[in-house]
Amino acid sequence: MSPLKKVIRKKDKLIKPIWLMRQAGRYLPEFRNIREKNPNFIELCLDEKKVKEITLQPLKRYNLDAAIIFSDILIVPYGLGQSVNFVKNFGPKLGLLDLKEVKNYSFRSFRKKLEPVYKSIKFVREDKIIKGKDLIGFIGGPWTTLVYMLNQCSPKNKLKKILSDKNLVIDMMKCINNFLEIHIKNQIKSGANVIQIFDSWAGLVKEKNLENFIYGPTKRLVKFTQSLNTPCICFPRNIRNYDEYVKLVKPDVISIDYNIDPKKIIKNIKIPIQGGMNPSVLLTDKKNLEKVTNNYLNIFENFPYIFNLGHGVLPQTDPNMVEHLIKIVKKFNERSPKN
Ligand code: 1CP
């Protein structure tokens, strides 16, 4: 059984597998090398050979337990015919959205546009290096996906009023969820054995809209993933009430952000937990990294836990610090079991 599945399915408390959000990306010189030669990010995400190479770059360097397919949550808007560009020092810029067009968009065209993503998952699966390990497929949460589609850029830059139109958001979500399901299904069919839902902007939703914007639509996708006999990890970043989220959405694993107190969370949550450590700890020194990492590992020692960060690896991270982090986690895994 693969490392993540041992924790998720068997509730194994002895092993603490490790993978990192954004492990394949900007902090790696070998990624930057490829990226420099490929200015169009979406095109790069659709190049099967390069996607395979980038996905496996961190596994070639480090003893990680899982790979995450190199892609982006904004590949779904692209698949729906919306233009998506990544502008240096600004972030993603999306084209105008024709709501009627999205509603009438055919499942076939969507699948066809994203076919290279599925092919690259197959290519990654064929590689020896991934044997026995997990390959994580992913989507953005319905809310986060819609935030980018309607806002046309990151909410970091500005937040358009359109997102407060409750009826529009609910209506669009129903439609987008069908495509998110197709994307989940095709990733699993191609060889992904775990799905993660990144709801990076869950923290923007007001209490009164949580059911309609987050809980309801995400629960549908979790159920769908589980119906395909595949576990689903949810990362509702900065959501105020993780306990309520777990009760209502029922994921297989909950991935926590770095504002969460790990000691408190294990008191209330009964499902496997992932992540938590602040990615900026990797910007400090090895001694501090050992201290903070071991603190997380000790707190979760008797809990089914997948080591990860509380958000993605930061671009300015030194790859040697990532290597050291993985060594610390692997060393902890060699401890003798407690009686
Ligand atoms: O070189 C570059 O300019 C590209 C940088 C980059 C990379 C490496 C982007 C642009 N996306 C990715 C890959 C990516 N994105 C992966 C696969 C690699 C891996 O994780 O190892 C994944 C899982 C994502 C997920 C993603 N994309 C999220 C959710 C996670 C999170 O960080 O909160 C979000 C919000 C995005 C949108 C996105 N993609 C890229 C940018 C610059 C952004 C916008 C982020 C923002 O709004 O600030």
mmCIF file of all heavy atoms in Angstrom, residues 58-101:
data_model
loop_
_atom_site.group_PDB
_atom_site.id
_atom_site.type_symbol
_atom_site.label_atom_id
_atom_site.label_comp_id
_atom_site.label_asym_id
_atom_site.label_seq_id
_atom_site.Cartn_x
_atom_site.Cartn_y
_atom_site.Cartn_z
ATOM 1 N N PRO A 58 11.319 17.085 -8.259
ATOM 2 C CA PRO A 58 11.554 16.997 -6.804
ATOM 3 C C PRO A 58 11.787 15.559 -6.323
ATOM 4 O O PRO A 58 12.492 15.354 -5.349
ATOM 5 C CB PRO A 58 10.278 17.586 -6.188
ATOM 6 C CG PRO A 58 9.272 17.588 -7.269
ATOM 7 C CD PRO A 58 10.005 17.649 -8.569
ATOM 8 N N LEU A 59 11.219 14.575 -7.025
ATOM 9 C CA LEU A 59 11.423 13.175 -6.610
ATOM 10 C C LEU A 59 12.819 12.686 -6.960
ATOM 11 O O LEU A 59 13.331 11.746 -6.346
ATOM 12 C CB LEU A 59 10.364 12.254 -7.229
ATOM 13 C CG LEU A 59 9.061 12.229 -6.424
ATOM 14 C CD1 LEU A 59 8.188 13.401 -6.783
ATOM 15 C CD2 LEU A 59 8.328 10.936 -6.604
ATOM 16 N N LYS A 60 13.410 13.317 -7.970
ATOM 17 C CA LYS A 60 14.789 12.942 -8.330
ATOM 18 C C LYS A 60 15.752 13.494 -7.296
ATOM 19 O O LYS A 60 16.756 12.889 -6.983
ATOM 20 C CB LYS A 60 15.124 13.471 -9.722
ATOM 21 C CG LYS A 60 14.411 12.620 -10.756
ATOM 22 C CD LYS A 60 14.841 12.904 -12.165
ATOM 23 C CE LYS A 60 14.103 11.934 -13.090
ATOM 24 N NZ LYS A 60 13.664 12.596 -14.319
ATOM 25 N N ARG A 61 15.441 14.639 -6.752
ATOM 26 C CA ARG A 61 16.310 15.275 -5.767
ATOM 27 C C ARG A 61 16.132 14.701 -4.367
ATOM 28 O O ARG A 61 17.096 14.563 -3.622
ATOM 29 C CB ARG A 61 15.914 16.753 -5.648
ATOM 30 C CG ARG A 61 16.806 17.692 -6.367
ATOM 31 C CD ARG A 61 16.352 19.091 -5.984
ATOM 32 N NE ARG A 61 16.981 20.050 -6.843
ATOM 33 C CZ ARG A 61 17.968 20.859 -6.460
ATOM 34 N NH1 ARG A 61 18.414 20.834 -5.221
ATOM 35 N NH2 ARG A 61 18.494 21.702 -7.301
ATOM 36 N N TYR A 62 14.863 14.459 -3.996
ATOM 37 C CA TYR A 62 14.556 14.166 -2.590
ATOM 38 C C TYR A 62 13.794 12.862 -2.436
ATOM 39 O O TYR A 62 13.105 12.417 -3.345
ATOM 40 C CB TYR A 62 13.658 15.270 -1.993
ATOM 41 C CG TYR A 62 14.073 16.687 -2.266
ATOM 42 C CD1 TYR A 62 13.228 17.543 -2.965
ATOM 43 C CD2 TYR A 62 15.286 17.172 -1.802
ATOM 44 C CE1 TYR A 62 13.573 18.873 -3.194
ATOM 45 C CE2 TYR A 62 15.641 18.503 -2.028
ATOM 46 C CZ TYR A 62 14.790 19.341 -2.725
ATOM 47 O OH TYR A 62 15.141 20.644 -2.949
ATOM 48 N N ASN A 63 13.835 12.352 -1.207
ATOM 49 C CA ASN A 63 13.113 11.126 -0.876
ATOM 50 C C ASN A 63 11.666 11.452 -0.465
ATOM 51 O O ASN A 63 11.262 11.247 0.678
ATOM 52 C CB ASN A 63 13.878 10.435 0.269
ATOM 53 C CG ASN A 63 13.308 9.082 0.587
ATOM 54 O OD1 ASN A 63 12.485 8.552 -0.149
ATOM 55 N ND2 ASN A 63 13.733 8.516 1.711
ATOM 56 N N LEU A 64 10.907 11.953 -1.417
ATOM 57 C CA LEU A 64 9.506 12.310 -1.128
ATOM 58 C C LEU A 64 8.608 11.089 -1.304
ATOM 59 O O LEU A 64 8.931 10.179 -2.064
ATOM 60 C CB LEU A 64 9.048 13.415 -2.086
ATOM 61 C CG LEU A 64 9.622 14.803 -1.816
ATOM 62 C CD1 LEU A 64 9.576 15.662 -3.064
ATOM 63 C CD2 LEU A 64 8.860 15.487 -0.677
ATOM 64 N N ASP A 65 7.455 11.093 -0.644
ATOM 65 C CA ASP A 65 6.543 9.953 -0.733
ATOM 66 C C ASP A 65 5.486 10.103 -1.820
ATOM 67 O O ASP A 65 4.782 9.147 -2.126
ATOM 68 C CB ASP A 65 5.853 9.742 0.624
ATOM 69 C CG ASP A 65 6.851 9.293 1.669
ATOM 70 O OD1 ASP A 65 7.444 8.215 1.480
ATOM 71 O OD2 ASP A 65 7.091 10.042 2.641
ATOM 72 N N ALA A 66 5.341 11.302 -2.343
ATOM 73 C CA ALA A 66 4.305 11.508 -3.362
ATOM 74 C C ALA A 66 4.744 12.573 -4.354
ATOM 75 O O ALA A 66 5.549 13.448 -4.037
ATOM 76 C CB ALA A 66 2.998 11.941 -2.687
ATOM 77 N N ALA A 67 4.165 12.470 -5.543
ATOM 78 C CA ALA A 67 4.343 13.538 -6.542
ATOM 79 C C ALA A 67 2.990 14.215 -6.716
ATOM 80 O O ALA A 67 1.946 13.578 -6.537
ATOM 81 C CB ALA A 67 4.800 12.945 -7.865
ATOM 82 N N ILE A 68 3.028 15.509 -7.036
ATOM 83 C CA ILE A 68 1.781 16.183 -7.417
ATOM 84 C C ILE A 68 1.961 16.580 -8.869
ATOM 85 O O ILE A 68 3.027 17.079 -9.249
ATOM 86 C CB ILE A 68 1.457 17.399 -6.508
ATOM 87 C CG1 ILE A 68 0.181 18.107 -6.993
ATOM 88 C CG2 ILE A 68 2.613 18.372 -6.374
ATOM 89 C CD1 ILE A 68 -0.521 18.942 -5.930
ATOM 90 N N ILE A 69 0.942 16.318 -9.660
ATOM 91 C CA ILE A 69 1.094 16.564 -11.095
ATOM 92 C C ILE A 69 1.340 18.050 -11.350
ATOM 93 O O ILE A 69 0.681 18.904 -10.748
ATOM 94 C CB ILE A 69 -0.121 16.020 -11.882
ATOM 95 C CG1 ILE A 69 0.189 15.964 -13.377
ATOM 96 C CG2 ILE A 69 -1.403 16.760 -11.605
ATOM 97 C CD1 ILE A 69 1.156 14.898 -13.773
ATOM 98 N N PHE A 70 2.303 18.365 -12.185
ATOM 99 C CA PHE A 70 2.585 19.757 -12.491
ATOM 100 C C PHE A 70 1.496 20.291 -13.416
ATOM 101 O O PHE A 70 1.380 19.877 -14.571
ATOM 102 C CB PHE A 70 3.962 19.931 -13.131
ATOM 103 C CG PHE A 70 4.241 21.375 -13.418
ATOM 104 C CD1 PHE A 70 4.647 22.224 -12.404
ATOM 105 C CD2 PHE A 70 4.024 21.900 -14.672
ATOM 106 C CE1 PHE A 70 4.844 23.576 -12.647
ATOM 107 C CE2 PHE A 70 4.217 23.247 -14.919
ATOM 108 C CZ PHE A 70 4.627 24.085 -13.901
ATOM 109 N N SER A 71 0.674 21.177 -12.863
ATOM 110 C CA SER A 71 -0.437 21.761 -13.613
ATOM 111 C C SER A 71 -0.838 23.009 -12.859
ATOM 112 O O SER A 71 -0.032 23.569 -12.111
ATOM 113 C CB SER A 71 -1.590 20.751 -13.675
ATOM 114 O OG SER A 71 -2.613 21.230 -14.518
ATOM 115 N N ASP A 72 -2.072 23.450 -13.005
ATOM 116 C CA ASP A 72 -2.528 24.607 -12.227
ATOM 117 C C ASP A 72 -4.038 24.531 -12.056
ATOM 118 O O ASP A 72 -4.727 23.949 -12.901
ATOM 119 C CB ASP A 72 -2.156 25.922 -12.928
ATOM 120 C CG ASP A 72 -2.184 27.078 -11.943
ATOM 121 O OD1 ASP A 72 -1.148 27.335 -11.305
ATOM 122 O OD2 ASP A 72 -3.253 27.693 -11.773
ATOM 123 N N ILE A 73 -4.528 25.149 -10.987
ATOM 124 C CA ILE A 73 -5.982 25.147 -10.796
ATOM 125 C C ILE A 73 -6.672 25.957 -11.916
ATOM 126 O O ILE A 73 -7.831 25.739 -12.209
ATOM 127 C CB ILE A 73 -6.395 25.685 -9.405
ATOM 128 C CG1 ILE A 73 -5.978 27.135 -9.229
ATOM 129 C CG2 ILE A 73 -5.807 24.852 -8.279
ATOM 130 C CD1 ILE A 73 -6.677 27.811 -8.049
ATOM 131 N N LEU A 74 -5.907 26.851 -12.557
ATOM 132 C CA LEU A 74 -6.511 27.696 -13.604
ATOM 133 C C LEU A 74 -6.561 26.999 -14.960
ATOM 134 O O LEU A 74 -7.016 27.579 -15.945
ATOM 135 C CB LEU A 74 -5.768 29.034 -13.701
ATOM 136 C CG LEU A 74 -5.759 29.837 -12.397
ATOM 137 C CD1 LEU A 74 -5.031 31.156 -12.586
ATOM 138 C CD2 LEU A 74 -7.179 30.089 -11.902
ATOM 139 N N ILE A 75 -6.153 25.735 -14.990
ATOM 140 C CA ILE A 75 -6.274 24.969 -16.224
ATOM 141 C C ILE A 75 -7.766 24.689 -16.499
ATOM 142 O O ILE A 75 -8.162 24.490 -17.641
ATOM 143 C CB ILE A 75 -5.432 23.652 -16.136
ATOM 144 C CG1 ILE A 75 -5.008 23.186 -17.523
ATOM 145 C CG2 ILE A 75 -6.145 22.564 -15.402
ATOM 146 C CD1 ILE A 75 -3.839 23.868 -18.121
ATOM 147 N N VAL A 76 -8.585 24.713 -15.441
ATOM 148 C CA VAL A 76 -10.028 24.475 -15.628
ATOM 149 C C VAL A 76 -10.695 25.658 -16.356
ATOM 150 O O VAL A 76 -11.368 25.443 -17.370
ATOM 151 C CB VAL A 76 -10.720 24.082 -14.299
ATOM 152 C CG1 VAL A 76 -12.232 24.162 -14.404
ATOM 153 C CG2 VAL A 76 -10.288 22.677 -13.897
ATOM 154 N N PRO A 77 -10.484 26.925 -15.911
ATOM 155 C CA PRO A 77 -10.979 28.038 -16.728
ATOM 156 C C PRO A 77 -10.459 27.987 -18.164
ATOM 157 O O PRO A 77 -11.192 28.251 -19.113
ATOM 158 C CB PRO A 77 -10.471 29.284 -16.003
ATOM 159 C CG PRO A 77 -10.141 28.861 -14.623
ATOM 160 C CD PRO A 77 -9.958 27.380 -14.618
ATOM 161 N N TYR A 78 -9.182 27.612 -18.329
ATOM 162 C CA TYR A 78 -8.640 27.489 -19.693
ATOM 163 C C TYR A 78 -9.437 26.439 -20.482
ATOM 164 O O TYR A 78 -9.823 26.672 -21.626
ATOM 165 C CB TYR A 78 -7.138 27.109 -19.638
ATOM 166 C CG TYR A 78 -6.641 26.583 -20.958
ATOM 167 C CD1 TYR A 78 -6.277 27.460 -21.984
ATOM 168 C CD2 TYR A 78 -6.604 25.207 -21.211
ATOM 169 C CE1 TYR A 78 -5.875 26.972 -23.220
ATOM 170 C CE2 TYR A 78 -6.206 24.709 -22.441
ATOM 171 C CZ TYR A 78 -5.847 25.595 -23.438
ATOM 172 O OH TYR A 78 -5.470 25.109 -24.664
ATOM 173 N N GLY A 79 -9.699 25.312 -19.830
ATOM 174 C CA GLY A 79 -10.459 24.231 -20.485
ATOM 175 C C GLY A 79 -11.866 24.665 -20.853
ATOM 176 O O GLY A 79 -12.497 24.109 -21.762
ATOM 177 N N LEU A 80 -12.371 25.679 -20.145
ATOM 178 C CA LEU A 80 -13.723 26.192 -20.407
ATOM 179 C C LEU A 80 -13.712 27.333 -21.426
ATOM 180 O O LEU A 80 -14.716 28.018 -21.614
ATOM 181 C CB LEU A 80 -14.344 26.681 -19.095
ATOM 182 C CG LEU A 80 -14.891 25.575 -18.199
ATOM 183 C CD1 LEU A 80 -15.130 26.084 -16.787
ATOM 184 C CD2 LEU A 80 -16.187 25.035 -18.774
ATOM 185 N N GLY A 81 -12.559 27.562 -22.033
ATOM 186 C CA GLY A 81 -12.488 28.549 -23.111
ATOM 187 C C GLY A 81 -12.156 29.960 -22.657
ATOM 188 O O GLY A 81 -12.142 30.882 -23.475
ATOM 189 N N GLN A 82 -11.883 30.144 -21.370
ATOM 190 C CA GLN A 82 -11.503 31.490 -20.898
ATOM 191 C C GLN A 82 -9.992 31.643 -21.095
ATOM 192 O O GLN A 82 -9.238 30.705 -20.820
ATOM 193 C CB GLN A 82 -11.853 31.623 -19.406
ATOM 194 C CG GLN A 82 -11.748 33.037 -18.876
ATOM 195 C CD GLN A 82 -12.245 33.164 -17.426
ATOM 196 O OE1 GLN A 82 -12.365 32.184 -16.700
ATOM 197 N NE2 GLN A 82 -12.520 34.391 -17.019
ATOM 198 N N SER A 83 -9.551 32.827 -21.543
ATOM 199 C CA SER A 83 -8.102 32.955 -21.728
ATOM 200 C C SER A 83 -7.426 33.150 -20.370
ATOM 201 O O SER A 83 -7.959 33.825 -19.481
ATOM 202 C CB SER A 83 -7.775 34.108 -22.683
ATOM 203 O OG SER A 83 -7.985 35.335 -22.035
ATOM 204 N N VAL A 84 -6.263 32.516 -20.202
ATOM 205 C CA VAL A 84 -5.517 32.599 -18.941
ATOM 206 C C VAL A 84 -4.061 32.924 -19.267
ATOM 207 O O VAL A 84 -3.405 32.180 -19.989
ATOM 208 C CB VAL A 84 -5.571 31.252 -18.165
ATOM 209 C CG1 VAL A 84 -4.808 31.357 -16.852
ATOM 210 C CG2 VAL A 84 -7.006 30.812 -17.911
ATOM 211 N N ASN A 85 -3.593 34.062 -18.761
ATOM 212 C CA ASN A 85 -2.192 34.443 -18.976
ATOM 213 C C ASN A 85 -1.535 34.724 -17.639
ATOM 214 O O ASN A 85 -2.168 35.252 -16.730
ATOM 215 C CB ASN A 85 -2.109 35.716 -19.825
ATOM 216 C CG ASN A 85 -2.466 35.411 -21.262
ATOM 217 O OD1 ASN A 85 -1.788 34.625 -21.920
ATOM 218 N ND2 ASN A 85 -3.539 36.000 -21.736
ATOM 219 N N PHE A 86 -0.264 34.378 -17.546
ATOM 220 C CA PHE A 86 0.475 34.687 -16.319
ATOM 221 C C PHE A 86 1.426 35.837 -16.609
ATOM 222 O O PHE A 86 2.304 35.714 -17.448
ATOM 223 C CB PHE A 86 1.217 33.451 -15.820
ATOM 224 C CG PHE A 86 0.277 32.431 -15.252
ATOM 225 C CD1 PHE A 86 -0.341 31.500 -16.072
ATOM 226 C CD2 PHE A 86 -0.044 32.419 -13.905
ATOM 227 C CE1 PHE A 86 -1.241 30.573 -15.557
ATOM 228 C CE2 PHE A 86 -0.939 31.507 -13.379
ATOM 229 C CZ PHE A 86 -1.539 30.581 -14.202
ATOM 230 N N VAL A 87 1.199 36.945 -15.936
ATOM 231 C CA VAL A 87 1.983 38.146 -16.204
ATOM 232 C C VAL A 87 3.023 38.320 -15.098
ATOM 233 O O VAL A 87 2.682 38.245 -13.904
ATOM 234 C CB VAL A 87 1.053 39.387 -16.271
ATOM 235 C CG1 VAL A 87 1.836 40.647 -16.590
ATOM 236 C CG2 VAL A 87 -0.060 39.157 -17.290
ATOM 237 N N LYS A 88 4.262 38.529 -15.519
ATOM 238 C CA LYS A 88 5.365 38.666 -14.561
ATOM 239 C C LYS A 88 5.082 39.801 -13.564
ATOM 240 O O LYS A 88 4.607 40.864 -13.945
ATOM 241 C CB LYS A 88 6.665 38.955 -15.314
ATOM 242 C CG LYS A 88 7.798 38.174 -14.715
ATOM 243 C CD LYS A 88 9.077 38.331 -15.487
ATOM 244 C CE LYS A 88 10.137 37.609 -14.659
ATOM 245 N NZ LYS A 88 11.366 37.497 -15.318
ATOM 246 N N ASN A 89 5.355 39.552 -12.322
ATOM 247 C CA ASN A 89 5.149 40.509 -11.223
ATOM 248 C C ASN A 89 3.695 40.942 -11.032
ATOM 249 O O ASN A 89 3.421 41.958 -10.399
ATOM 250 C CB ASN A 89 6.023 41.764 -11.399
ATOM 251 C CG ASN A 89 7.480 41.416 -11.468
ATOM 252 O OD1 ASN A 89 7.924 40.499 -10.776
ATOM 253 N ND2 ASN A 89 8.228 42.110 -12.311
ATOM 254 N N PHE A 90 2.758 40.229 -11.622
ATOM 255 C CA PHE A 90 1.337 40.537 -11.419
ATOM 256 C C PHE A 90 0.565 39.274 -11.044
ATOM 257 O O PHE A 90 -0.220 39.273 -10.098
ATOM 258 C CB PHE A 90 0.741 41.170 -12.694
ATOM 259 C CG PHE A 90 -0.729 41.496 -12.549
ATOM 260 C CD1 PHE A 90 -1.141 42.647 -11.883
ATOM 261 C CD2 PHE A 90 -1.703 40.629 -13.062
ATOM 262 C CE1 PHE A 90 -2.499 42.934 -11.738
ATOM 263 C CE2 PHE A 90 -3.061 40.914 -12.921
ATOM 264 C CZ PHE A 90 -3.446 42.077 -12.262
ATOM 265 N N GLY A 91 0.827 38.188 -11.762
ATOM 266 C CA GLY A 91 0.094 36.946 -11.511
ATOM 267 C C GLY A 91 -0.840 36.636 -12.660
ATOM 268 O O GLY A 91 -0.668 37.169 -13.759
ATOM 269 N N PRO A 92 -1.866 35.792 -12.417
ATOM 270 C CA PRO A 92 -2.727 35.400 -13.529
ATOM 271 C C PRO A 92 -3.666 36.521 -13.966
ATOM 272 O O PRO A 92 -4.149 37.293 -13.135
ATOM 273 C CB PRO A 92 -3.517 34.224 -12.951
ATOM 274 C CG PRO A 92 -3.409 34.325 -11.484
ATOM 275 C CD PRO A 92 -2.184 35.111 -11.165
ATOM 276 N N LYS A 93 -3.866 36.590 -15.283
ATOM 277 C CA LYS A 93 -4.841 37.520 -15.854
ATOM 278 C C LYS A 93 -5.780 36.686 -16.710
ATOM 279 O O LYS A 93 -5.338 36.024 -17.647
ATOM 280 C CB LYS A 93 -4.127 38.549 -16.735
ATOM 281 C CG LYS A 93 -4.040 39.919 -16.119
ATOM 282 C CD LYS A 93 -3.620 40.963 -17.119
ATOM 283 C CE LYS A 93 -3.572 42.297 -16.380
ATOM 284 N NZ LYS A 93 -2.898 43.326 -17.100
ATOM 285 N N LEU A 94 -7.071 36.732 -16.377
ATOM 286 C CA LEU A 94 -8.029 35.921 -17.134
ATOM 287 C C LEU A 94 -8.878 36.826 -18.028
ATOM 288 O O LEU A 94 -9.126 37.986 -17.692
ATOM 289 C CB LEU A 94 -8.929 35.117 -16.175
ATOM 290 C CG LEU A 94 -8.201 33.947 -15.480
ATOM 291 C CD1 LEU A 94 -7.453 34.411 -14.249
ATOM 292 C CD2 LEU A 94 -9.178 32.839 -15.103
ATOM 293 N N GLY A 95 -9.318 36.250 -19.152
ATOM 294 C CA GLY A 95 -10.113 37.014 -20.118
ATOM 295 C C GLY A 95 -11.539 37.218 -19.634
ATOM 296 O O GLY A 95 -11.953 36.660 -18.608
ATOM 297 N N LEU A 96 -12.286 38.000 -20.391
ATOM 298 C CA LEU A 96 -13.699 38.228 -20.053
ATOM 299 C C LEU A 96 -14.457 36.902 -20.119
ATOM 300 O O LEU A 96 -14.190 36.069 -20.974
ATOM 301 C CB LEU A 96 -14.313 39.205 -21.045
ATOM 302 C CG LEU A 96 -14.459 40.645 -20.561
ATOM 303 C CD1 LEU A 96 -15.107 41.482 -21.647
ATOM 304 C CD2 LEU A 96 -15.275 40.732 -19.267
ATOM 305 N N LEU A 97 -15.413 36.759 -19.231
ATOM 306 C CA LEU A 97 -16.137 35.496 -19.151
ATOM 307 C C LEU A 97 -17.534 35.684 -19.724
ATOM 308 O O LEU A 97 -18.274 36.568 -19.307
ATOM 309 C CB LEU A 97 -16.227 35.102 -17.669
ATOM 310 C CG LEU A 97 -16.744 33.732 -17.338
ATOM 311 C CD1 LEU A 97 -15.784 32.672 -17.839
ATOM 312 C CD2 LEU A 97 -16.895 33.592 -15.824
ATOM 313 N N ASP A 98 -17.875 34.847 -20.707
ATOM 314 C CA ASP A 98 -19.233 34.882 -21.227
ATOM 315 C C ASP A 98 -20.019 33.775 -20.505
ATOM 316 O O ASP A 98 -19.823 32.585 -20.754
ATOM 317 C CB ASP A 98 -19.196 34.643 -22.742
ATOM 318 C CG ASP A 98 -20.566 34.829 -23.370
ATOM 319 O OD1 ASP A 98 -21.563 34.469 -22.715
ATOM 320 O OD2 ASP A 98 -20.636 35.345 -24.491
ATOM 321 N N LEU A 99 -20.895 34.225 -19.581
ATOM 322 C CA LEU A 99 -21.576 33.246 -18.722
ATOM 323 C C LEU A 99 -22.413 32.258 -19.526
ATOM 324 O O LEU A 99 -22.444 31.066 -19.220
ATOM 325 C CB LEU A 99 -22.463 33.969 -17.698
ATOM 326 C CG LEU A 99 -21.730 34.946 -16.772
ATOM 327 C CD1 LEU A 99 -22.683 35.552 -15.763
ATOM 328 C CD2 LEU A 99 -20.591 34.261 -16.051
ATOM 329 N N LYS A 100 -23.077 32.770 -20.571
ATOM 330 C CA LYS A 100 -23.920 31.894 -21.396
ATOM 331 C C LYS A 100 -23.070 30.826 -22.074
ATOM 332 O O LYS A 100 -23.445 29.664 -22.142
ATOM 333 C CB LYS A 100 -24.617 32.740 -22.474
ATOM 334 C CG LYS A 100 -26.082 32.965 -22.177
ATOM 335 C CD LYS A 100 -26.820 33.358 -23.439
ATOM 336 C CE LYS A 100 -28.021 34.200 -23.062
ATOM 337 N NZ LYS A 100 -28.165 35.366 -23.934
ATOM 338 N N GLU A 101 -21.909 31.269 -22.557
ATOM 339 C CA GLU A 101 -21.016 30.337 -23.250
ATOM 340 C C GLU A 101 -20.548 29.223 -22.309
ATOM 341 O O GLU A 101 -20.515 28.057 -22.685
ATOM 342 C CB GLU A 101 -19.789 31.096 -23.768
ATOM 343 C CG GLU A 101 -19.568 30.909 -25.255
ATOM 344 C CD GLU A 101 -18.488 31.822 -25.769
ATOM 345 O OE1 GLU A 101 -17.314 31.590 -25.428
ATOM 346 O OE2 GLU A 101 -18.823 32.790 -26.490
#
